[in-house]
Amino acid sequence: LVHNVDMNRDAIQIAGGNVEALDLDWTSQTSVPRFHLVIGADIVYEPYLFPSLLSTMRQAGPRAVLVQNIARKGTAEFKELCLSEGACIDISRLNHAMETNISEELYEAWFIS
């Protein structure tokens, strides 16, 4: 991801945007930089990491967008944790209108605030 961001940085800036990609250790107690929007894809795997993941997301910004395989183990548990911690989640199912080779029924975009 860091490489992709670096390769597209000029085009993003020409379009008036700004993007940064970071490796974050969700279990680290170090400070997390603040952003307007946090974006993640397929980052929900291990239930024991969910509280740390949610905490890191909240420290990093007021909003997040996650694209997640909803069939993956633990996805429903992470969604329940977010809701129980007071997060609002708007869900959009990804459909065949997107140009992908993946089964669209398995993926959702979660807009978390």
Side-chain angles (χ1 to χ4, degrees):
L1 180 61
V2 173
H3 173 75
N4 289 341
V5 166
D6 288 343
M7 294 298 295
N8 291 289
R9 188 172 309 283
D10 290 341
I12 292 166
Q13 289 176 342
I14 288 169
N18 186 26
V19 65
E20 188 172 346
L22 302 171
D23 291 325
L24 292 176
D25 178 353
W26 304 333
T27 62
S28 172
Q29 297 299 320
T30 61
S31 65
V32 175
R34 281 297 274 178
F35 299 96
H36 295 288
L37 178 66
V38 177
I39 301 172
D42 273 338
I43 58 173
V44 175
Y45 286 96
E46 297 294 338
Y48 75 93
L49 291 172
F50 293 170
S52 297
L53 170 58
L54 182 57
S55 175
T56 300
M57 287 172 44
R58 286 186 151 174
Q59 289 177 55
R63 296 177 308 235
V65 176
L66 295 183
V67 175
Q68 183 60 37
N69 179 331
I70 61 171
R72 189 176 310 282
K73 173 187 143 193
T75 299
E77 185 179 339
F78 183 71
K79 186 186 331 180
E80 288 303 316
L81 174 66
C82 291
L83 294 172
S84 72
E85 294 292 324
C88 296
I89 304 175
D90 292 318
I91 298 172
S92 179
R93 278 182 121 18
L94 301 182
N95 61 40
H96 64 277
M98 296 182 58
E99 297 294 324
T100 66
N101 292 325
I102 56 176
S103 175
E104 66 275 357
E105 289 117 32
L106 295 178
Y107 283 83
E108 292 178 342
W110 298 357
F111 302 89
I112 303 172
S113 58

